[in-house]
Amino acid sequence: MSLTVNPVESLTTEVEEHRKAEHSVSPLFLNRWSPRSYSERKVSDEDLTSILEAARWAPSAFNDQPWRFFVAKTESQLKVFHEFLSPFNRIWAEKAPVLILIASMKNRDNGDPNGSHAFDTGAAWGNLAIQATMLGLSTHAMTGFDKEKARQLLNVPEELDIQAVISVGYRGEKEALDEKLQERENPSSRKPLQEVIFEGTKNA
């Protein structure tokens, strides 16, 4: 399944059916969501590099750039990633042509603890997801996996804090998923803006 509209200019049909912004915002942000069905179409090296380049330009405290990416795109590399995914995620994520484990440096270059390493790495993931949407790719972030097993199999050093695994690929048909997953294969809504904003202090 491929996009039939420019995601920067207008909403896709399915997004328009399930999402409505309360205020003016680029369609790009609503068009980004997290499907689970992937087609067999491969992601080109050019596009993969593009989404990682976007992640590279995320903001970070003191420009520390704590994010690190472990990328699996070959059959042998993907099989290793599949070993540490949870059974629920493995059911659908095995079909994704690219998996990326995102980790973050816990300390700064001078050895001091970096209190914002996870926050900053989240910004990098956001950049990656938006760039992927612009290229017609889908992404889905997962925390359902065995972090210690991932650390062992990928030889992730202790100075890195493992954050998430990201699936990347082109949309597949909803019908390719298990029936229960098909019911969830829609863009999710969001809480009203007024529920997450506090002007000054939170009222008692």
Side-chain angles (χ1 to χ4, degrees), residues 119-155:
F119 178 80
D120 293 342
T121 300
W125 143 242
N127 276 19
L128 184 155
I130 290 296
Q131 180 66 13
T133 301
M134 292 179 67
L135 296 173
L137 291 164
S138 294
T139 55
H140 191 120
M142 296 168 271
T143 55
F145 64 97
D146 188 328
K147 288 188 177 182
E148 289 311 310
K149 192 170 185 179
R151 185 179 299 278
Q152 177 186 3
L153 291 176
L154 301 182
N155 196 28

Side-chain angles (χ1 to χ4, degrees), residues 65-78:
Q65 306 165 52
W67 43 77
R68 300 293 185 271
F69 306 97
F70 293 75
V71 180
K73 60 181 182 178
T74 68
E75 184 176 353
S76 59
Q77 291 168 348
L78 289 166

